[in-house]
Amino acid sequence: MPVSDAVLTQILTQLEALQVSQQTLQAKLDTLTNQRGPASSPPSSPRSVGTPGRQAAEAILATEAPTASPHNTLVSPSTSPSTSTLANHDRDKERERLLYPSRVLLTTYPDQHGIKPYPLHWGAPDAATRGPVICSRLPTSIKQRNAIGAHSGSYSIYRALAIAMGTLDPSHKPDYSKTEPAVPIPPQPAWADPSKIVSFDPWGHLVPQVYRAELEELGLDVRPSIAVTRAHMKLTEIDEAVRKGSLTVDGKILQKSRPLNNADGSVCTDDPGVEISISKAAVEPVWYLPGVAERFGISEGLLRRALFEDTGGMYPELITRPDIKVFLPPIGNLTAYIFGNPAYLSDETKELTLRVHDECNGSDVFGSDICTCKPYLIYAIEECIRGAQRGGVGLVVYFRKEGRALGEVTKYLVYNLRKRGGDSADKYFKATELIAGVKDMRFQALMPDVLHWLGIKKIDNMVSMSDMKYDAIVQSGIPILKRYDIPEHLLPPDSRVEIDAKIAAGYFSHNKKITEADLVKTVGRTWEETEH
């Protein structure tokens, strides 16, 4: 529908009024700054150039509250608190002037003068054509940013703290020599298919090699988002499996550990156990927004609006920069643990055993028995070892989706409700819905990306009872020949509530059928039973 001249005039008038208000605020700020004494002016940012409407929309903020730090909490008798606080305030304001432009760059716009994103073509056939992912706001890169967000996911907050405290130079240039992957993860056909990998950068582990010119010649701040290394994994449960004879030491996949020393330095004669030789890859999320939206069956516009609104408005460029299609979300990463030769993952003639595991800190690390997470993880690792020893390869993909992606606080609140409200299987999912409003937010649509990145074309054995995971993998084009769940004898008694509720809800089980009527009979342990 055409817009009348009267409406355009009204909009322009409002924008000009905003600009006048902005200039007034800036004048007041400059007056306050000048009263404290002269200070070197930092370089201007791209936001200072552009149309009057754009300038009017970019806010001018000034931080007036003093910053507390460990070394300014104690005040000497000769210095009054007010004097000390003022000194610290001035120190932090000076540091802020040195670190950042005087005007806060809240957002940018596609038509802003000087803004020219570095070309990025998701799903291109090679790294050079695809282009690097650049989200840095450093002066060398800010005008060529082609991604929203920051590297390291949620850990970017700690980086900001380190910069504010002066322990990290924001312009530090990492030295990536000798950091190349410890085992090769070569390009696969799926890397060039923009529909197969949309949740991370498939070239993320090769950044220092394939984007050397951008790093060294152009000085752009391009960073790896994947790291691949090798390690030995030591688990007491695997030690016990070897002692019982259910696993055997082969000297390659499963090796005998070196003897430990006693407190007096002598060699301990106790059985040192075993360790597993593995390769592993840490993968940070890098979302291609059009592809992510398509996976979830929603429009890109709705996805952008939801990500902006429901993260507290943290990323305004999701709204103002529709030309930027890549977003680095502040969420946890995934880790792929490979048992056996990584090259076998893309070899269809080799047997492949898979477990996709979502994080459960309470069980995986600290052994809580209210769920089956750790028993499932350990059983899957054993199965991966057996498969690798048969000449195949095993893979455990560990996603940071604590508490079904609801978070650990929500999970513990649900635990409280369950234990106080009668912990029976018929109430299992309802307890989560009462608190979280939904029973699961893991949404497995993005999960298969890592399998395509590794070149996996078929899965022989999948250790999982999750229909969501199974369906997501199969629908992505990877067939699963066999799936099986955890053996009954490995289930902790208090986890029976979870297992029975899942089976009744339609989760896969190879040998057990449970009806809704059966669920009331499955009851978990009460708190009173554990008090002592």
Side-chain angles (χ1 to χ4, degrees):
M1 184 176 67
V3 181
S4 67
D5 291 342
V7 173
L8 290 173
T9 301
Q10 183 180 8
I11 293 173
L12 181 60
T13 302
Q14 291 175 344
L15 288 174
E16 289 174 346
L18 284 172
Q19 184 180 19
V20 172
S21 176
Q22 174 204 40
Q23 292 170 346
T24 302
L25 286 171
Q26 183 62 46
K28 293 179 179 179
L29 176 61
D30 291 342
T31 301
L32 291 171
T33 303
N34 292 334
Q35 288 176 351
R36 296 193 184 103
S40 60
S41 176
S44 60
S45 71
R47 63 120 0 253
S48 61
V49 185
T51 63
R54 293 288 183 260
Q55 291 180 349
E58 294 162 357
I60 304 301
L61 303 177
T63 305
E64 296 297 335
T67 302
S69 66
H71 46 271
N72 69 21
T73 54
L74 297 178
V75 182
S76 65
S78 60
T79 307
S80 68
S82 58
T83 303
S84 174
T85 301
L86 182 60
N88 290 330
H89 174 260
D90 289 344
R91 180 205 63 201
D92 287 350
K93 290 302 293 181
E94 179 61 24
R95 176 163 178 74
E96 184 179 345
R97 293 189 193 99
L98 294 174
L99 282 171
Y100 307 112
S102 60
R103 296 184 177 184
V104 178
L105 177 61
L106 289 183
T107 193
T108 56
Y109 301 87
D111 60 347
Q112 195 166 331
H113 179 75
I115 296 295
K116 188 177 182 182
Y118 201 87
L120 195 157
H121 305 285
W122 198 269
D126 57 79
T129 307
R130 205 293 302 274
V133 173
I134 305 169
C135 63
S136 172
R137 290 167 63 99
L138 290 176
T140 56
S141 303
I142 191 168
K143 293 182 179 180
Q144 299 189 71
R145 288 170 66 242
N146 56 20
I148 302 164
H151 282 293
S152 301
S154 58
Y155 293 101
S156 60
I157 301 300
Y158 292 103
R159 183 177 186 273
L161 284 173
I163 292 171
M165 294 169 63
T167 58
L168 174 63
D169 182 351
S171 63
H172 168 72
K173 186 177 181 181
D175 180 359
Y176 293 122
S177 59
K178 300 183 180 180
T179 65
E180 61 272 11
V183 295
I185 305 291
Q188 302 291 337
W191 296 19
D193 185 340
S195 68
K196 290 295 185 184
I197 302 176
V198 301
S199 61
F200 62 87
D201 178 6
W203 299 95
H205 59 309
L206 301 174
V207 162
Q209 291 78 43
V210 298
Y211 297 121
R212 179 173 287 127
E214 285 82 356
L215 280 162
E216 297 179 1
E217 297 173 19
L218 301 181
L220 295 174
D221 186 15
V222 187
R223 298 179 180 245
S225 57
I226 300 175
V228 183
T229 189
R230 298 170 62 187
H232 279 200
M233 178 187 292
K234 186 156 182 63
L235 298 166
T236 56
E237 292 86 355
I238 302 301
D239 290 341
E240 186 62 26
V242 171
R243 294 188 186 107
K244 289 181 177 179
S246 60
L247 287 175
T248 58
V249 175
D250 64 338
K252 186 177 180 182
I253 306 297
L254 204 54
Q255 307 171 19
K256 200 68 178 175
S257 297
R258 295 178 181 178
L260 299 175
N261 289 337
N262 294 313
D264 61 3
S266 61
V267 177
C268 180
T269 58
D270 293 342
D271 180 6
V274 297
E275 35 196 79
I276 316 161
S277 179
I278 62 166
S279 306
K280 57 184 180 179
V283 182
E284 292 179 358
V286 179
W287 285 8
Y288 176 58
L289 292 172
V292 172
E294 184 178 356
R295 287 279 182 91
F296 290 116
I298 60 177
S299 68
E300 182 186 346
L302 175 57
L303 174 65
R304 285 174 174 267
R305 185 65 183 270
L307 291 172
F308 169 71
E309 295 286 356
D310 293 301
T311 58
M314 285 202 303
Y315 302 99
E317 284 175 316
L318 287 166
I319 305 300
T320 66
R321 294 299 302 273
D323 59 316
I324 294 182
K325 301 297 184 180
V326 174
F327 173 52
L328 280 64
I331 59 176
N333 64 310
L334 69 88
T335 308
Y337 295 90
I338 305 168
F339 302 79
N341 189 340
Y344 290 176
L345 290 167
S346 57
D347 185 345
E348 291 184 79
T349 68
K350 303 297 182 181
E351 178 186 3
L352 192 156
T353 302
L354 171 70
R355 166 71 180 168
V356 176
H357 192 89
D358 293 323
E359 177 184 31
C360 177
N361 183 64
S363 178
D364 297 342
V365 179
F366 293 98
S368 172
D369 67 349
I370 198 172
C371 62
T372 60
C373 295
K374 184 173 186 177
Y376 245 120
L377 181 59
I378 296 299
Y379 176 64
I381 289 174
E382 291 181 7
E383 287 292 280
C384 286
I385 293 171
R386 294 185 186 101
Q389 289 179 333
R390 290 193 295 265
V393 63
L395 175 65
V396 172
V397 185
Y398 194 90
F399 283 87
R400 271 55 174 198
K401 297 179 181 177
E402 177 64 59
R404 300 191 197 138
L406 300 169
E408 201 165 30
V409 169
T410 296
K411 181 165 75 171
Y412 285 9
L413 293 173
V414 172
Y415 287 170
N416 287 349
L417 175 58
R418 284 174 54 188
K419 294 303 182 183
R420 289 189 175 114
D423 190 14
S424 56
D426 62 317
K427 302 175 184 176
Y428 177 79
F429 287 115
K430 186 63 176 177
T432 303
E433 290 177 326
L434 283 172
I435 293 173
V438 62
K439 63 183 179 183
D440 199 328
M441 287 202 308
R442 285 174 292 182
F443 307 129
Q444 302 294 347
L446 303 178
M447 174 269 292
D449 287 17
V450 64
L451 308 181
H452 292 288
W453 177 63
L454 294 167
I456 293 174
K457 301 175 186 67
K458 65 101 173 104
I459 295 162
D460 295 274
N461 312 303
M462 181 176 178
V463 184
S464 175
M465 66 187 301
S466 170
D467 286 337
M468 285 197 299
K469 293 174 183 177
Y470 177 89
D471 292 342
I473 293 171
V474 172
Q475 289 169 11
S476 78
I478 301 175
I480 298 173
L481 306 185
K482 174 188 174 184
R483 64 191 293 206
Y484 51 105
D485 51 352
I486 190 171
E488 284 280 323
H489 70 276
L490 297 179
L491 296 175
D494 203 36
S495 71
R496 189 80 254 176
V497 171
E498 172 200 6
I499 287 292
D500 286 2
K502 287 182 174 180
I503 294 172
Y507 282 58
F508 171 79
S509 176
H510 72 285
N511 64 0
K512 189 168 185 179
K513 302 297 180 185
I514 295 178
T515 66
E516 290 290 334
D518 296 327
L519 293 182
V520 273
K521 303 174 186 176
T522 305
V523 179
R525 182 180 57 232
T526 65
W527 280 336
E528 289 72 19
E529 293 177 62
T530 61
E531 290 179 354
H532 55 273

